[in-house]
Amino acid sequence: MKYLQLISKIFQNKDLRRKILFTAFIFFIFRVFAQVPVPGVDIVSLKRLFAQSQLLSLLDIFSGGTLANFSVMSLGLNPYINASIIMQLLQMVFPKLEELAKEGESGREKINQYTRFLTVPLASIQAFGIFILLRNSQIVASPTPLTLFSLVVSITTGTILLMWLGELITEKGVGNGISMIIFAGIVGRLPIGLFQQAAVFDPSQIRNIVIFAIMAIIVIVSIVFVTEGRRPIKVNYSRRGTQGPQAAIASYIPLRVNQAGVIPIIFAVSLILLPTTFSTFLETSPNVFIANLAQNIQRLFNPADILYNVVYFLLVIVFTYFYTTVAFNTKQISEMLMKQGGFLPGIRPGSSTKSYLDYVLLRITLFGAIFLGLIAILPSIGQSLTGVTTLLIGGTGLLIVVAVILETTKQIESQITMGDYDTLFKRRNLG
């Protein structure tokens, strides 16, 4: 009943209704371009390659489902995401970028502009790398230099267009544009995945499908629980009046259990993909030792192998801690509290506050890191238990979908609440 009332209020709110329709229109444009293939590619062989590789399937998720079609938007938003990560890391290295990030809206806009500039060369390099990978897999023939240049330019332009569409959603639509584009790509492929699963349905697999459905429900509930998980830390702000000290004003710092979101999985995928990528290039080497070494690396880093999943799990944990320290700088927080007259009850301002925040953050991040690690290797676990392989079991895909739905729902509810306040204010003025 609550959701029916929410839907009713959405269509009654003119401004919100316009934003939702605009977002749907951008989704339509995205899906149209996602079906425009780059010429000279054997699509059937390409889909077979993606079906055999969980790594490529995961990259396809972050591309919004366009990589498996090798469309003009094949890279999706991967170059932009990588550029954003690089810019965040550079802020830790170059003090000028860190100062720029602290300048408010104007500083963030400049950093966003630098991120867009960095996206172009990254997209070009990744487009060329994808072409080399497909050529070695005999999925695409060797083109002329002019054809190769056109291919790289087309894919790079598609990435820039998709980035612009995402920014349009952020500015004029609902939700975060980048997240919404990835969300649209994942959800857009669900009907196809379900139809494919129904086409090969085997009555003897009912037990495995039931196990799969139970796992999916447990994963969704867990993602909601962890995404919404907070560890509030009480902060008191002392205030002094004309007649002496007054009672402290209490506030809270909400430390999220999953402070890093899905970024650690992206980091881990990028790193664990390197050995298999280089071994793909070296397995055709005329040197017998190098060719055998490349084949052994591919065998060790097979997504179905235990070593691969253990390394993947540990990498996610390491990168979760790394990115959490970047996203939540306890030194800056403690300095800001001290400047604003804030203090934690029973904790001295300054270094003691920083040490306490580090201690709490270390403990809650451990739970979030283990959770992300399990989400990352969930496809292997689900496939070994059920034998069912479909997008729904993809833990990373579910993490993105559920997180985007929760965040977008909160934004919609806040806009509806603001609309209710505006209506009430107008009525009082008229009265």
Side-chain angles (χ1 to χ4, degrees):
M1 193 67 180
K2 176 183 176 181
Y3 290 101
L4 292 177
Q5 293 177 354
L6 179 63
I7 293 174
S8 176
K9 288 185 177 180
I10 288 175
F11 285 98
Q12 291 175 5
N13 190 314
K14 183 178 178 180
D15 184 57
L16 187 57
R17 184 172 67 248
R18 178 184 57 79
K19 290 184 177 181
I20 292 177
L21 292 176
F22 179 81
T23 304
F25 175 69
I26 297 297
F27 283 171
F28 173 76
I29 296 177
F30 164 55
R31 295 313 302 172
V32 168
F33 277 98
Q35 303 305 317
V36 179
V38 175
V41 179
D42 187 351
I43 300 297
V44 177
S45 300
L46 182 65
K47 290 184 179 296
R48 189 182 303 117
L49 176 64
F50 273 77
Q52 296 172 352
S53 174
Q54 291 184 6
L55 285 174
L56 292 177
S57 299
L58 186 58
L59 290 177
D60 191 39
I61 288 176
F62 291 115
S63 71
T66 59
L67 188 56
N69 296 328
F70 206 63
S71 70
V72 294
M73 291 183 174
S74 298
L75 296 178
L77 291 165
N78 288 326
Y80 180 77
I81 294 173
N82 293 334
S84 301
I85 294 171
I86 291 173
M87 289 303 300
Q88 289 179 350
L89 295 177
L90 290 179
Q91 291 177 29
M92 302 176 61
V93 179
F94 297 101
K96 289 186 177 180
L97 285 177
E98 185 179 1
E99 294 175 0
L100 192 63
K102 296 178 181 179
E103 291 181 2
E105 188 65 29
S106 61
R108 286 193 295 269
E109 183 58 35
K110 289 182 180 179
I111 291 180
N112 289 337
Q113 191 68 24
Y114 296 153
T115 305
R116 298 186 193 104
F117 291 151
L118 183 60
T119 301
V120 177
L122 288 180
S124 302
I125 295 172
Q126 290 185 29
F128 182 76
I130 289 294
F131 163 76
I132 296 297
L133 177 63
L134 297 182
R135 189 189 64 180
N136 291 345
S137 302
Q138 297 181 349
I139 293 176
V140 58
S142 298
T144 63
L146 180 60
T147 306
L148 176 59
F149 176 77
S150 301
L151 183 145
V152 172
V153 170
S154 299
I155 295 179
T156 303
T157 304
T159 298
I160 302 303
L161 174 61
L162 194 56
M163 180 179 65
W164 178 63
L165 293 178
E167 292 181 352
L168 283 179
I169 292 179
T170 302
E171 182 181 353
K172 300 181 180 179
V174 177
N176 179 276
I178 305 301
S179 301
M180 294 293 284
I181 290 292
I182 299 176
F183 168 82
I186 297 173
V187 174
R189 294 191 307 170
L190 283 178
I192 299 176
L194 292 175
F195 283 133
Q196 290 176 347
Q197 194 67 36
V200 297
F201 174 74
D202 184 358
S204 62
Q205 297 291 322
I206 292 180
R207 174 178 171 273
N208 290 337
I209 294 176
V210 172
I211 296 175
F212 163 79
I214 294 174
M215 287 181 61
I217 294 173
I218 293 175
V219 169
I220 292 174
V221 173
S222 301
I223 290 174
V224 174
F225 177 76
V226 174
T227 302
E228 294 295 294
R230 301 287 191 278
R231 166 62 163 89
I233 296 181
K234 187 176 181 180
V235 179
N236 289 335
Y237 291 92
S238 57
R239 293 291 182 268
R240 180 176 297 274
T242 56
Q243 298 180 358
Q246 296 180 349
I249 301 175
S251 180
Y252 292 90
I253 301 175
L255 291 182
R256 298 172 59 185
V257 176
N258 181 16
Q259 193 82 24
V262 75
I263 297 297
I265 297 180
I266 301 176
F267 273 22
V269 168
S270 302
L271 190 58
I272 205 170
L273 187 62
L274 291 178
T276 54
T277 302
F278 284 114
S279 62
T280 301
F281 296 145
L282 298 176
E283 66 178 351
T284 57
S285 172
N287 188 307
V288 178
F289 174 76
I290 295 178
N292 291 335
L293 179 62
Q295 293 175 2
N296 291 331
I297 291 175
Q298 285 192 342
R299 185 172 62 254
L300 288 174
F301 283 88
N302 187 340
D305 192 78
I306 295 178
L307 176 63
Y308 165 86
N309 288 283
V310 170
V311 173
Y312 191 12
F313 179 81
L314 294 177
L315 282 176
V316 171
I317 291 180
V318 170
F319 283 126
T320 300
Y321 274 102
F322 171 75
Y323 189 80
T324 299
T325 57
V326 174
F328 190 87
N329 192 319
T330 55
K331 182 179 179 180
Q332 291 182 357
I333 296 295
S334 60
E335 291 176 354
M336 182 184 66
L337 289 176
M338 190 163 54
K339 291 178 181 179
Q340 296 177 353
F343 61 93
L344 308 184
I347 307 295
R348 290 184 177 181
S351 59
S352 298
T353 298
K354 177 185 180 302
S355 300
Y356 178 77
L357 291 176
D358 287 334
Y359 170 72
V360 175
L361 194 64
L362 179 68
R363 291 192 302 168
I364 66 173
T365 301
L366 177 62
F367 179 81
I370 293 175
F371 174 77
L372 285 180
L374 292 175
I375 287 293
I377 64 175
L378 185 62
S380 298
I381 298 175
Q383 185 175 352
S384 61
L385 292 177
T386 67
V388 179
T389 56
T390 182
L391 178 63
L392 287 176
I393 196 63
T396 305
L398 279 177
L399 178 64
I400 295 173
V401 169
V402 174
V404 171
I405 290 176
L406 290 174
E407 192 65 30
T408 306
T409 302
K410 289 179 181 178
Q411 183 176 343
I412 291 175
E413 289 179 345
S414 65
Q415 292 191 22
I416 290 175
T417 303
M418 291 177 59
D420 292 340
Y421 282 141
D422 290 340
T423 302
L424 181 62
F425 182 75
K426 291 179 181 178
R427 288 178 180 177
R428 286 186 175 181
N429 286 342
L430 291 175

